[in-house]
Amino acid sequence: TLFVNWVSRNGEGFEANAAATADTFAEAGLEDRVLGVFEVGGNVSDRRFLLETFAMLGLVGSSPDGASCITRVDLTSQFDAVSPDGSIYTVGEKEFFMPYVPGYVVSGEGSLVLFSLTAASGERSAPADGAAQVRLVVEKLQRVLAELGATFDDVVLLWNRCAELDAIEEAVLMTRARDFGLTRPLAEAVLEIVDKDPNPAPDGTASCIEYIVVAKLPR
């Protein structure tokens, strides 16, 4: 198993939060399994969350067969109740807001492709409006997938790297489903970048969002 840790600068600050994260992984004997630790701002689920961890693992003894698929692995059956929108999980009299993100198993023959997109990808500039940038990034994602012979159903993972999350959170969360009908769940994170991590367009227009995408190419 390998881990990527996104550590917030909120609370007591990035350095303190990163040190606490490192100590916890060391106590578990997992320090050599951490690929990287990256500073972020707010978390889309709850600004009080100070750590988001992404885990990747291979299934020992497994081998690809002819059936290529992406399977969601969920734990909803372990809870007493889950709200219709999937945000509130209940155990006894206690309610938990989005306590975890489901896992996904990628199986079958095929290749994984990794790429990133902003509204300015292939362009000299981009719209200044954050919501317009989100729509353009989704359009470009669909075009890239089509050129690869894939669709949104073949996306395994998507990281949304956002500037000023408070300003564009609604657009980031709703645009794909509302404007494009892309509602399939996938492994996804919404991460607020920090000031030292800019990604402007060539003409200097600030990028409000960047997609980092992993897709499984059909054979």
Side-chain angles (χ1 to χ4, degrees), residues 22 26 44-45 49 60 62 66 71 76 93 101 104 106 108 139 154 159 172 198 213:
V44 69
S45 301
F49 290 169
V60 177
S62 65
T71 305
T76 53
E93 297 182 354
V101 176
Y104 290 81
V106 181
E139 291 174 1
D154 299 303
W159 293 343
V172 172
V213 183

Side-chain angles (χ1 to χ4, degrees), residues 6-10 17 38-44 46-51 162 165 190-195:
W6 299 302
V7 179
S8 176
R9 62 182 173 184
N10 296 340
N17 296 334
F38 302 96
E39 181 179 359
V40 296
N43 182 293
V44 69
D46 191 318
R47 299 301 192 268
R48 294 170 295 179
F49 290 169
L50 302 178
L51 170 67
C162 306
L165 181 56
V190 179
L191 311 164
E192 185 177 38
I193 62 175
V194 294
D195 295 339

Side-chain angles (χ1 to χ4, degrees), residues 167-185:
I168 65 169
E169 182 174 10
E170 192 274 343
V172 172
L173 296 179
M174 301 303 297
T175 297
R176 284 204 316 267
R178 181 184 58 211
D179 298 352
F180 296 88
L182 302 175
T183 59
R184 183 181 68 85

Side-chain angles (χ1 to χ4, degrees), residues 2-71:
L2 299 174
F3 301 92
V4 174
N5 291 328
W6 299 302
V7 179
S8 176
R9 62 182 173 184
N10 296 340
E12 296 183 2
F14 170 72
E15 296 297 335
N17 296 334
T21 300
D23 289 344
T24 300
F25 273 78
E27 290 173 5
L30 297 172
E31 65 271 29
D32 61 340
R33 297 287 184 169
V34 177
L35 288 178
V37 177
F38 302 96
E39 181 179 359
V40 296
N43 182 293
V44 69
S45 301
D46 191 318
R47 299 301 192 268
R48 294 170 295 179
F49 290 169
L50 302 178
L51 170 67
E52 186 168 350
T53 294
F54 177 78
M56 300 161 281
L57 60 126
L59 299 179
V60 177
S62 65
S63 60
D65 56 26
S68 179
C69 61
I70 302 171
T71 305

